Structures are given as C-alpha cells and as structure tokens.
Amino acid sequence: MFVRVSSRALAANYTPQIHRLQFHHALTFDAHQQFSKTLTHLDIALSLSSSPPRIYAEPLRYLRLQDVPLNFDWTLCFGSTSDGHVDFDHLETLDVGFLFEPSSVAATEKNRDTCELRFFRLRQLSVSGCLERCSLLERARFLLPLRAVSIRGAASAMRVLSQIAAPKIKCIKLDVDTAGNAPGAQPIADLNRALKAVRGESSIDLCVRQHSVHLDLHMFECPNLTRIAITAPTSSMQLMVLIGKYPRLEHLALHNLVVDHVPAQASMVRSGRYISEYLEPADTCIKHLYLKHSMAYGTVKKASVLVSFVMLLLPSLETLATIVDTIQEISGVLCDYKPFYPHLQNIELRNANAHYFKP
C-alpha cells in the first residue's frame, strides 16, 4: 500500500499495511507511535513540536527527511541497532534536509559522536542545510561505494568528501549557499580540500550561490569539474581561467559577470580581420555557456566584445545564453565567424532584470 498523505488524521492513524508514506508538510504525532515494520519508502517533513514515530531501519529502501533539527536523534531508527550502531541494511537512497536552529547547535556539538550510522547498500546520498560541519556524514560509514552525492550548505561542510570514499563516487554535486560563520572560515581552502579528494572517473557539479564566497580559481586543481555555476561576482579574467583550466567542463554559468577587462586579441573580432592564425582553441569541451552581466553604461559594448572572443575559443559550443542587448550587439559576429563554432545550435535571449538567471 502506497499512501501519499493528504490529511493529518490519516497520518496519525496509519495502518501496519502501509509500506510507502509521503507527506510534505510538518506532521504532529502522538507519543510512543512507530511506523510500520513493512515501511520501505518514507518521505516526510518533521515537526518542531513533536518527535517523529520510531522508524524501523532494516526494511527501509528510500528515506527522505526534511526540516530535520541539527541535533536529530538517529536512534529513533531502530530494529537493527546494537553497540552504538544504527544499521540500514537495505537503504539505497537517503535525502536529509537540515533546519537551522541556533538552540540546537550546542546540543549537536555535545552529542556529535554518540551513534554511528552504517549503510550497507546506500548508492545515492543528498544532504542540505549543512553548517560548518555535517554531523550526519561525520558519523556515517558506507559499506559500498556511493554512486551519487549531493551536499548543499557551507563550504566547510564539503570537507567530509575525503571521509566518504570520494574517489569512487561517480557523480558529485556541491552547492555552496553560505560562507559559514565559524571564526577564521576559509571557504575556498575548504572547497579546494574537498575537490582534491576526488579522483578517478568522478564528475563534479559545483554551484556557488553565496556572494560573500569570492573564488580564487587558480587554487582549484580539479580536472573532474564538469559543471560550474557561480552567483558570486566573477571577473573577465576569471572567465578566461575557467574556459582554459578544466578539460572536462561542459556547462558554465556565470550569474554575475563583471566585465572589467577585455583581452587585447578580442579587438580583432570587431576589426573584421581574419584571426584564425592568432587563435588557439581552449582545452575544454564546454557545450553550454550562460553569462549574465551588468547593464551599466558602456558595459554592454565591452561584454559583447568579450563574449564574441570567448565563443571563438569554444569549438564545442552548442548553446549560448546571455542578455538580449549583448546578442543584438554580436549578431554580425555570429554570422561572420560561424565556422569557429560549428556545433552552435541554440541562442537564448535572457532578461537582464531577472532575479535568477537559470541555465
């Protein structure tokens, strides 16, 4: 029986026959309740006013918990618990979204290592709301190599990658949405430490949303980066570094490009000179390029020159998305230099005033 819960009464009176339960609003449960011993899929948001029922860990295959307090008591998962361990024998997918509460931070530090979580078949892991550390991942043991890992939170939380068999993970998504509040926080150093833990055939999707996280791209030595999205201000020079530094990069999105410099070679594009002998394509396989920049006076002209030049360095380019005014400025270049980007199929016009420039 699969129940997508639409009433609190039903959630509070679930039957032993339910083996899948999904509810995306906070539920208040009575004390001493427990989920069915046949429950294999659980997808709920927790309530701050009451503890959830106890969960039988052994039969679970899919577990998604949202609004989880930082000091969540994982011993609520029972049925295969002994000697300070909670064993998830059959769990394949785990998705945990933490809810930050200042009152729970101290309790989290106090109870950090009281319980070890052992995952015997987990393949997909997603954790969001991580602060300076991620207590869930620090106390977890993975008995099989993970296939996909997604971590969203402070840059310092990404360091846990070195503890979860990162070299064997196929797909890694890192979403930095806060610089962290710890004294002396060094988000770039933390990210670099996490990226260095990745080897082999792993692919990395890196998103930096926090404006206070300024990237020194020269610090990143990670050839596995396949997708980068940056909301923080990114200079023209950083753009040039990005397109030449990561050979596996396919998607590049800069949501706040600061056009502060235009390479001297770029002027040749607008001069009409034949420039093939001056250009060397970048060592990259970028297929999708998304650029949003300021509309300040004079910026559009410089941005159009810069974008035109960058396009000539990307023979693998398939999709270009940028501001409407910039596309209008480079329309002539697109025609004159078409042989330089033979795979270009899509040109997308974006609104400069949009709050979120989504790839």
Side-chain angles (χ1 to χ4, degrees):
M1 181 185 298
F2 174 33
V3 176
R4 181 177 284 109
V5 179
S6 58
S7 74
R8 295 179 184 274
L10 180 59
N13 296 282
Y14 47 79
T15 66
Q17 288 75 33
I18 293 177
H19 62 266
R20 297 184 180 215
L21 181 62
Q22 179 181 9
F23 193 79
H24 292 164
H25 299 280
L27 293 173
T28 301
F29 295 94
D30 296 331
H32 310 300
Q33 284 187 303
Q34 62 188 39
F35 284 112
S36 164
K37 293 183 179 181
T38 63
L39 196 67
T40 60
H41 291 66
L42 179 61
D43 183 352
I44 61 171
L46 302 185
S47 170
L48 298 179
S49 60
S50 67
S51 297
R54 302 200 72 182
I55 302 169
Y56 284 92
E58 197 276 333
L60 279 175
R61 295 180 56 191
Y62 177 94
L63 178 60
R64 183 173 185 264
L65 300 176
Q66 298 301 304
D67 298 336
V68 178
L70 296 176
N71 60 343
F72 179 70
D73 183 7
W74 286 96
T75 59
L76 285 171
C77 301
F78 76 112
S80 184
T81 307
S82 61
D83 301 326
H85 300 103
V86 175
D87 291 343
F88 293 86
D89 298 318
H90 299 96
L91 193 66
E92 298 174 356
T93 301
L94 175 63
D95 185 342
V96 178
F98 286 103
L99 178 66
F100 174 68
E101 295 178 274
S103 61
S104 68
V105 175
T108 303
E109 293 296 328
K110 181 179 178 180
N111 301 321
R112 180 172 300 279
D113 294 316
T114 58
C115 175
E116 183 179 65
L117 310 178
R118 299 193 298 193
F119 300 93
F120 291 84
R121 298 187 182 182
L122 195 70
R123 307 315 297 270
Q124 297 187 31
L125 171 67
S126 179
V127 183
S128 61
C130 300
L131 296 179
E132 275 64 43
R133 301 173 67 177
C134 184
S135 60
L136 166 63
L137 298 183
E138 289 179 350
R139 69 178 66 177
R141 285 184 58 198
F142 303 99
L143 282 302
L144 279 181
L146 294 163
R147 290 176 180 169
V149 172
S150 175
I151 304 176
R152 179 171 181 174
S156 56
M158 311 303 174
R159 290 178 296 185
V160 76
L161 275 177
S162 62
Q163 304 173 28
I164 57 176
K168 297 181 180 180
I169 302 173
K170 294 298 182 183
C171 180
I172 299 173
K173 294 184 179 181
L174 303 179
D175 193 334
V176 183
D177 60 7
T178 175
N181 299 315
Q186 297 180 311
I188 299 306
D190 290 330
L191 268 178
N192 198 43
R193 189 177 297 112
L195 294 174
K196 282 185 175 180
V198 181
R199 296 290 185 272
E201 299 301 317
S202 301
S203 64
I204 300 179
D205 181 337
L206 173 63
C207 179
V208 180
R209 301 177 187 271
Q210 174 55 252
H211 282 67
S212 61
V213 180
H214 296 284
L215 296 181
D216 182 356
L217 296 168
H218 293 283
M219 290 185 63
F220 288 148
E221 300 294 339
C222 184
N224 301 65
L225 282 168
T226 57
R227 185 183 182 102
I228 299 177
I230 303 174
T231 302
T234 309
S235 70
S236 303
M237 294 302 295
Q238 288 177 315
L239 168 61
M240 301 308 295
V241 170
L242 282 168
I243 65 173
K245 190 175 180 67
Y246 305 107
R248 293 181 59 187
L249 190 63
E250 295 185 358
H251 298 255
L252 176 60
L254 303 182
H255 300 246
N256 191 357
L257 177 62
V258 180
V259 187
D260 53 358
H261 173 75
V262 177
Q265 284 181 305
S267 61
M268 298 181 184
V269 177
R270 287 309 181 90
S271 69
R273 294 175 58 185
Y274 186 66
I275 59 174
S276 61
E277 64 269 25
Y278 298 102
L279 286 178
E280 182 177 349
D283 182 19
T284 185
C285 56
I286 293 178
K287 297 178 180 179
H288 307 281
L289 179 65
Y290 306 88
L291 301 173
K292 180 181 179 181
H293 58 78
S294 168
M295 292 296 293
Y297 178 76
T299 300
V300 174
K301 287 283 186 182
K302 290 198 299 183
S304 63
V305 174
L306 178 64
V307 172
S308 301
F309 180 65
V310 168
M311 289 179 63
L312 297 178
L313 302 178
L314 305 176
S316 56
L317 190 64
E318 296 179 1
T319 299
L320 170 68
T322 189
I323 293 173
V324 175
D325 300 63
T326 301
I327 293 292
Q328 293 173 341
E329 284 285 330
I330 67 174
S331 59
V333 175
L334 290 172
C335 296
D336 295 341
Y337 295 96
K338 187 176 180 180
F340 282 85
Y341 25 83
H343 302 291
L344 184 63
Q345 301 173 356
N346 304 302
I347 298 177
E348 301 179 10
L349 309 181
R350 299 298 176 93
N351 186 347
N353 297 320
H355 292 291
Y356 182 53
F357 193 69
K358 185 178 180 180

